[in-house]
Amino acid sequence: MYLGPMNRSTHVVTEFVLLGFPGSWKIQIFLFLMFLVVYVLTLLGNAAIICAVRCDSRLHTPMYFLLGNFAFLEICYVSSTVPNMLANILSKTKAISFSGCFLQFYFFFSLGTTECLFLAVMAYDRYLAICRPLHYHTIMTERFCSILLSSCWFIGFLGYPVPIFFISQLPFCSSNIIDHFLCDMDPLMALSCAPAPITEIVFYAQSSFVLFFTIMYILRSYILLLRTVFRIPSAAGRQKAFSTCCSHLVVVSLFYGTVMVMYVSPTYGIPTLMQKVLTLVYSVMTPLFNPLIYSLRNKDMKLALRNVLLGTRITKNT
């Protein structure tokens, strides 16, 4: 659906068209089935972690409390994009309403910011557990965990209403076609017929600040953590310390690696299809991998998941 050149006083964009991924109808059906399977597995995997943390008393610790909440965040994050993407694949018009587009835009970036903050909090938890083990339980109490997580949600959702509101007020008068599978910053700004450099600067400065602040804090935590791990005299002790951190480090690498390519480095030279693939990695594939990464490398989590899935009580000695 193309609206052609418009006069802002006589034409108003009421919907956008998300082109999604190119291909024939057979390719679209294949993509639909693939993304549907990924979405269902993501929901089931993260829901299993939440159930395991809630049902198994051995997992009632700050680390698993954070992990359970992180799994819930991943369910929300993937649900902000995939259901609409699935509907658009089968749709003939591929249209999304104006308000629906900006609502998705808001939730996508707010949940993404919340995930960055969650990962920083999880790094802080691992730092305390390994670098300050004697003070861990006095500092990382249930109340303090709740305050940290509530702050992540609050900051994540508080930062974007104002800039996104100003972006929604821009005149979109050249086209309503977005060559993406979701409503993102660059495609929306490309459709505006009035430049808004201040809005763009504020939005990207805010996003870059969150990314750099959290990644620098995570890196600092792991540098201090590794220094402590290398001082552990026994090989078994070092291996145990590494195993508790490796999963989190893999998740951080997957998420930040693709996000920083998209929103920190210039994207003008990156082909549109590659931008879509990079967005898929951190918004769809990473939430799928997280349950696998955390469960496969954690004996307590594997036992708890078996208890939940099989309905039996399995102990560490069995």
Side-chain angles (χ1 to χ4, degrees):
M1 178 179 179
Y2 179 73
L3 296 182
M6 300 192 307
N7 183 306
R8 80 177 68 176
S9 63
T10 58
H11 294 82
V12 176
V13 172
T14 59
E15 63 180 22
F16 294 99
V17 176
L18 295 172
L19 294 183
F21 291 90
S24 64
W25 180 245
K26 289 183 179 180
I27 294 177
Q28 298 301 309
I29 294 298
F30 171 77
L31 291 175
F32 174 83
L33 294 175
M34 182 180 68
F35 291 139
L36 179 62
V37 170
V38 168
Y39 182 56
V40 171
L41 290 177
T42 302
L43 296 183
L44 292 176
N46 285 286
I49 286 181
I50 295 172
C51 292
V53 172
R54 287 181 60 88
C55 298
D56 197 314
S57 59
R58 293 170 300 183
L59 302 185
H60 292 176
T61 62
M63 181 179 77
Y64 293 109
F65 178 69
L66 293 172
L67 181 56
N69 280 271
F70 185 68
F72 173 73
L73 171 63
E74 292 291 66
I75 290 176
C76 296
Y77 190 44
V78 75
S79 296
S80 69
T81 57
V82 175
N84 184 76
M85 180 172 63
L86 292 173
N88 271 6
I89 290 176
L90 298 181
S91 172
K92 293 183 178 180
T93 61
K94 299 186 180 299
I96 182 172
S97 67
F98 186 90
S99 58
C101 180
F102 280 94
L103 196 62
Q104 182 190 63
F105 185 25
Y106 169 68
F107 277 102
F108 181 66
F109 272 89
S110 296
L111 290 166
T113 300
T114 305
E115 179 153 346
C116 292
L117 297 172
F118 261 57
L119 291 171
V121 169
M122 294 169 78
Y124 174 67
D125 173 73
R126 292 300 84 209
Y127 162 77
L128 286 179
I130 294 175
C131 298
R132 303 182 63 185
L134 297 179
H135 301 90
Y136 178 74
H137 291 290
T138 57
I139 296 175
M140 192 59 71
T141 61
E142 183 177 342
R143 182 173 180 273
F144 186 56
C145 274
S146 300
I147 291 174
L148 287 176
L149 294 179
S150 300
S151 300
C152 291
W153 285 101
F154 183 75
I155 295 172
F157 277 81
L158 187 67
Y160 289 100
V162 173
I164 289 180
F165 170 77
F166 281 112
I167 295 171
S168 69
Q169 300 305 301
L170 296 174
F172 299 96
C173 56
S174 60
S175 171
N176 68 338
I177 298 176
I178 298 176
D179 191 5
H180 212 314
F181 63 86
L182 55 80
C183 293
D184 205 352
M185 177 65 176
D186 285 341
L188 285 170
M189 294 304 297
L191 296 183
S192 174
C193 58
I198 296 178
T199 302
E200 284 193 82
I201 291 172
V202 169
F203 186 90
Y204 281 114
Q206 181 176 320
S207 301
S208 299
F209 174 78
V210 172
L211 287 171
F212 277 117
F213 172 78
T214 53
I215 193 62
M216 293 305 295
Y217 179 81
I218 291 170
L219 290 175
R220 177 182 176 275
S221 298
Y222 272 94
I223 290 172
L224 297 175
L225 187 149
L226 289 174
R227 287 174 54 188
T228 302
V229 169
F230 285 127
R231 293 173 184 170
I232 298 176
S234 66
R238 287 195 298 271
Q239 184 178 1
K240 182 179 179 181
F242 271 122
S243 65
T244 60
C245 305
C246 188
S247 300
H248 180 256
L249 199 56
V250 171
V251 171
V252 168
S253 301
L254 282 172
F255 181 77
Y256 277 95
T258 50
V259 168
M260 294 188 77
V261 170
M262 284 295 299
Y263 298 107
V264 177
S265 63
T267 59
Y268 301 108
I270 302 177
T272 303
L273 183 59
M274 182 56 65
Q275 292 185 34
K276 296 177 186 179
V277 171
L278 289 172
T279 305
L280 268 181
V281 171
Y282 69 81
S283 65
V284 179
M285 302 311 297
T286 302
L288 170 67
F289 293 149
N290 287 350
L292 296 174
I293 293 169
Y294 280 114
S295 61
L296 291 178
R297 297 192 58 87
N298 190 299
K299 293 181 180 180
D300 290 337
M301 180 58 69
K302 285 192 286 188
L303 289 171
L305 288 173
R306 289 175 188 171
N307 292 338
V308 171
L309 297 175
L310 301 179
T312 58
R313 184 68 181 176
I314 303 173
T315 64
K316 293 184 179 181
N317 296 325
T318 58

